[in-house]
Amino acid sequence: EPVELVVGMRTSVVKPIGVYVADAKGWFEEEGVKVTFEKQDKPAQGYISVEENQFDLYLFAATPMASDTVKGVDNLMVVGGSISEGTEIIGKIGSQKLVNIEDFVGGKKYACLKTETGQVMLKDALVKGGYTINVDPEKDTTAADATFVFMADTAAMIAAVKAGEVDYAITNAGYGFSKAAKNELEVSGYVAQLTENGTYACCRQVTSKETIADKRAGLVGFYVAQLRGYQYFLNEANKEEIGNILSTWTEQPAAELIGQLYGSDTYTPSTIVTVDPQTKATVSLFEAMENAKLVAANDIDWTQYIDTSIYSEALQILQDREPNEQLWKDLRAEFEANN
């Protein structure tokens, strides 16, 4: 009998590429898993659904896990990743380019989303660099080297940039590919170069301790199928098919999604698709949330909330199945370095 898994999915953005491909190809069934997808576009609620064991997995965002764990939730576990990086800082055409840490300060004002990870890592880098940040200008009128304003969605952030209410919007999900230009805006900078390792974790794939105990074989099968989907994605000969698969999950046209993920002559994707749980980068992200003033001070050992064994076992199955496949060897080396 196949193991049944309920997986929470967003439809406004596409991140866990291998999952969409595996579903379209029927590979979950081949790996002994029956997957039911449930729509949940609000990440905070997606994490609550995992905590309450309504979802077996949620594949988007990361900050709600740290927030909930600091508040006392003790059953969430990172078991994989959907992407790393992905942040694009959008400004008016001709705005100052943001490269070195000094470029990001001087009283600049940023619009951002609370669950977006790039804004966490930017705040952390500024604090570690000795700069002051204001994360709640409505309540705190103190001048700072950089000010951050949370907004409801990307549309609100872009409107604020165009109106001159903020200098930049911290976006994600490939916004810079074509949407920026349509709004007479452009990509002004990125965040990765400011971080300690030159990269950072973004959307994590999270389950509960109960699901690991009760459905571990199903989770392993899920990751075997997802890794097969990732392998298929990496072959650019499949990108037209990939675009069509992804467009069934979101209202975005296939050509838009292909550009966001594979790039073009004028656009280099900021999103790095990865399934690896990336323990080191995930811990860095959760620790950065304290400097970003998104969680209370804490001494949590975040490694206790990351289970790398499921991904590792799934990868080993594929290595044994296809011993000459270079991708599996490369992913094993990356796994050893990342965890």
Side-chain angles (χ1 to χ4, degrees), residues 2-17:
V3 179
E4 297 186 9
L5 295 177
V6 178
V7 179
M9 296 289 277
R10 296 183 68 181
T11 57
S12 56
V13 295
V14 292
K15 298 290 181 73
I17 308 303

Side-chain angles (χ1 to χ4, degrees), residues 251-288:
E251 295 179 357
Q252 297 181 66
E256 179 80 18
L257 295 163
I258 291 169
Q260 290 176 20
L261 292 167
Y262 292 98
S264 68
D265 292 341
T266 58
Y267 177 76
T268 300
S270 59
T271 297
I272 301 172
V273 179
T274 176
V275 188
D276 194 309
Q278 296 179 306
T279 298
K280 295 176 183 177
T282 301
V283 169
S284 293
L285 170 62
F286 290 163
E287 290 179 345

